[in-house]
Amino acid sequence: MTPPRTPQIPVVVLAGFLGSGKTTLLNHLLRNRAGTRIGVIVNDFGAIEIDAMTVSGQVGSTVSLGNGCLCCAVDASELDTFLETLTRPSARLDVIVIEASGLAEPQELVRMLLASDNPHILYGGLVEVVDAAEFGRTRQRHPEIDRHLAVADLVVLNKTDRVGEAERERLRAAVAELSGPAAVISAVHGRIDPELLFDPALRPDHKDKVRQLTFEDLLREEAPDGHEGHDDHLHASYASVDFTSDIPMDPRRFMEFLDSRPDGLYRIKGFADFGAGDRDNTYALHAVGRFLRFVPRPWARGEQRLTQLVMIGAGIDAAALSAGLAACRADGAERADEPGRADAADVERAMWGVLRYVQEQAPEPEAFDAHETADPREAAAEA
């Protein structure tokens, strides 16, 4: 049997300028969580925590950081304290969302997460919310928004109902240019598909015989006419591509595919079989934006050796992605069932690209130097 691993909870940073709709988006996620247990850290700016007041629910699952910006902390120790509370097994959380202050520097929040020594967390991406109706004026007054978009993994162009179709397309193009490879999706009232950010929980709440009042319970009661939670066509702005192969992946070709993954491809998750590259382990893959990591796990006795991946993004070519992955499959010499034909030295060299992104445990703080690396996600991947 495969030994149990310490479960890691994805931590998503939800950022955006004042009034962009972050709290509205968060409340939408809480209403439509499909049994997923969400812990929330609200990073409000000011002594009166207005956002924290609007995100209310389960006792012990909300942590508010009032009277200042979290990103202004000297180090990550304060954040770690709150994360330690939310990652206790008794909380049974599936995902943690940090709602950043509208005046926060999101890149610093990402750095703090990646520098955390908490072995129970996993970076879940930076989501930047943009107010479509105010984007031009906000950018004039606060040009730093360009920098924030440049480090985002997913951009939500919110409040698109307040602009015309031509203006909406112009804004989308402008935001896409500033955010580079990040996926850009349009939204009204922060309504995005929760599966963009986290996977639905396998255990529905009704199996809990005794449980506390949840965010979903409260927010469902507040929703007018039960409309919230039944939004249609949330999937229209993104695509999900599944890939399964019983032929091992060539590590060199696979890394070339990952290094050149197209703009808009937000998440990749699953498991990769590298055949002769490592006959003993399957490799769990987690990619969000440009962040990438592998975690090896021994094959279980009798387990079928497959590569199984799910890719999620906006504006992506599903057929091209499937074809690209199919081209990464190993030739006969590198297949696990033909160990004698592969050149051992060449296979080992091919695995170097994969091993560069391997993390047996959560990244150690000293492995990340916030002063020497421009992109914190690359730094974490290289650790």
Side-chain angles (χ1 to χ4, degrees):
M1 296 290 292
T2 302
R5 296 185 58 87
T6 302
Q8 290 185 300
I9 301 173
V11 181
V12 177
V13 177
L14 181 61
F17 198 71
L18 297 168
S20 59
K22 299 184 300 297
T23 301
T24 301
L25 190 153
L26 176 57
N27 283 339
H28 167 75
L29 294 177
L30 297 174
R31 289 187 183 102
N32 297 274
R33 61 191 182 87
T36 301
R37 296 177 67 90
I38 304 174
V40 178
I41 296 177
V42 179
N43 170 214
D44 233 351
F45 188 85
I48 301 176
E49 300 174 6
I50 301 300
D51 285 348
M53 293 177 186
T54 62
V55 180
S56 59
Q58 185 171 313
V59 176
S61 67
T62 303
V63 179
S64 297
L65 309 178
N67 200 23
C69 254
L70 176 62
C71 65
C72 298
V74 175
D75 54 42
S77 60
E78 185 180 18
L79 177 60
D80 281 338
T81 299
F82 296 118
L83 290 173
E84 182 63 31
T85 299
L86 293 179
T87 55
R88 290 172 183 165
S90 58
R92 296 183 297 119
L93 295 179
D94 301 300
V95 64
I96 296 171
V97 178
I98 300 176
E99 184 190 352
S101 159
L103 301 177
E105 280 290 338
Q107 185 171 5
E108 296 308 313
L109 290 173
V110 173
R111 288 183 188 277
M112 291 167 70
L113 280 177
L114 296 179
S116 172
D117 59 1
N118 188 326
H120 304 296
I121 66 170
L122 177 69
Y123 176 60
L126 169 61
V127 180
E128 184 77 13
V129 184
V130 173
D131 183 340
E134 297 293 331
F135 177 67
R137 287 182 287 273
T138 300
R139 195 178 172 203
Q140 285 181 345
R141 295 193 305 270
H142 302 279
E144 63 270 22
I145 195 172
D146 290 8
R147 183 173 68 250
H148 298 174
L149 287 168
V151 297
D153 298 302
L154 173 68
V155 178
V156 178
L157 186 60
N158 196 28
K159 305 185 183 180
T160 53
D161 57 322
R162 296 179 56 191
V163 298
E165 183 176 353
E167 176 65 4
R168 184 165 57 247
E169 292 305 313
R170 188 193 69 78
L171 287 168
R172 185 182 179 87
V175 168
E177 182 178 359
L178 292 169
S179 59
V184 180
I185 62 171
S186 299
V188 175
H189 302 302
R191 294 171 185 162
I192 66 171
D193 194 319
E195 288 193 43
L196 279 168
L197 305 184
F198 51 80
D199 301 327
L202 296 179
R203 49 137 171 63
D205 276 344
H206 64 72
K207 289 188 177 181
D208 292 340
K209 293 182 179 179
V210 179
R211 62 183 178 89
Q212 295 175 316
L213 180 68
T214 66
F215 289 118
E216 190 175 34
D217 295 331
L218 272 179
L219 294 171
R220 185 185 296 116
E221 291 175 4
E222 295 173 1
D225 302 323
H227 174 73
E228 192 72 44
H230 298 280
D231 302 310
D232 295 327
H233 310 302
L234 289 172
H235 62 280
S237 58
Y238 77 95
S240 177
V241 182
D242 297 338
F243 176 83
T244 301
S245 174
D246 58 359
I247 299 174
M249 307 300 281
D250 177 274
R252 185 177 288 113
R253 293 181 207 151
F254 189 53
M255 290 309 303
E256 289 174 354
F257 172 86
L258 292 176
D259 288 341
S260 61
R261 55 192 186 272
D263 294 356
L265 183 55
Y266 174 58
R267 293 179 70 198
I268 308 177
K269 56 187 178 179
F271 299 88
D273 172 20
F274 291 112
D278 187 344
R279 301 185 209 285
D280 298 325
N281 294 294
T282 178
Y283 283 72
L285 182 158
H286 170 73
V288 56
R290 310 317 288 179
F291 174 86
L292 171 65
R293 79 164 199 169
F294 291 97
V295 178
R297 171 183 65 79
W299 290 104
R301 180 177 301 176
E303 181 179 359
Q304 187 177 8
R305 301 197 172 207
L306 296 172
T307 292
Q308 296 178 297
L309 300 170
V310 177
M311 296 166 287
I312 301 173
I316 57 177
D317 186 332
L321 286 175
S322 296
L325 281 173
C328 294
R329 291 180 293 192
D331 298 325
E334 290 82 25
R335 297 185 185 182
D337 56 351
E338 302 181 51
R341 296 179 56 189
D343 180 82
D346 184 63
V347 171
E348 182 179 351
R349 285 192 296 270
M351 281 295 292
W352 286 351
V354 174
L355 298 177
R356 180 169 173 250
Y357 294 95
V358 162
Q359 294 174 5
E360 293 287 353
Q361 299 294 334
E364 296 295 329
E366 58 268 25
F368 176 74
D369 190 335
H371 299 288
E372 295 181 0
T373 306
D375 188 338
R377 290 162 290 182
E378 292 181 4
E382 291 172 1

